[in-house]
Amino acid sequence: MVVAKLGMDAHWRGAMVVARAFRDAGMEVIYLGHATAPQIASIAVQEDADLVGLSSLSGNHLEETAAVLEALSGVGAGDTPVVVGGSISAADSERLLAVGVGAVFPSGSSLVSILEAVAVLLAAPAEAGTAPEDDRS
């Protein structure tokens, strides 16, 4: 999987924690840090990524995620599932799911729920387009 920060978002800790959780769960993880949509798409193709994970805490997730989806389509990887995590409202979560994001994880989502939702997404891509329950416990 490829994990990247959207735009100039300076909040990196959550993305690193999630990337490490995926690595510890046995996935190969390429962490890009800050990257543009074309960079993310290019690396996803080069690495034959099964999933792209995007992190945003600065409020630019709608525009940046749309750019990543477009860039992936432009390089023939439009079927690569994309998930987004960070400071994302319920309304924006619905908008992201409507444009093709596989899952949205708002701030406070547990690592277990993220790992489980991604496992389901990778096992059954046709069932994409759902948001996990908010379990900030």
Side-chain angles (χ1 to χ4, degrees):
M1 80 179 299
V2 171
V3 175
K5 298 293 298 160
L6 291 173
M8 295 304 297
D9 189 337
H11 301 93
W12 55 270
R13 188 171 307 227
M16 292 293 291
V17 169
V18 170
R20 186 173 185 164
F22 280 111
R23 185 206 64 196
D24 291 349
M27 293 186 75
E28 178 183 355
V29 179
I30 293 93
Y31 177 73
L32 300 180
H34 295 92
T36 64
Q39 290 169 330
I40 294 166
S42 176
I43 296 297
V45 169
Q46 288 174 30
E47 296 293 336
D48 193 26
D50 293 322
L51 181 89
V52 172
L54 304 173
S55 174
S56 177
L57 289 169
S58 62
N60 61 345
H61 45 270
L62 295 174
E63 298 83 7
E64 294 285 347
T65 300
V68 170
L69 293 169
E70 183 177 328
L72 285 167
S73 290
V75 296
D79 60 343
T80 303
V82 174
V83 298
V84 183
S87 294
I88 302 170
S89 68
D92 283 355
S93 291
E94 292 302 318
R95 290 175 67 185
L96 289 167
L97 294 170
V99 298
V101 168
V104 178
F105 306 103
S107 294
S109 296
S110 74
L111 291 175
V112 170
S113 69
I114 294 169
L115 291 168
E116 289 174 350
V118 166
V120 169
L121 182 63
L122 292 175
E127 295 177 21
T130 61
E133 293 182 25
D134 189 0
D135 66 341
R136 299 178 190 191
S137 55

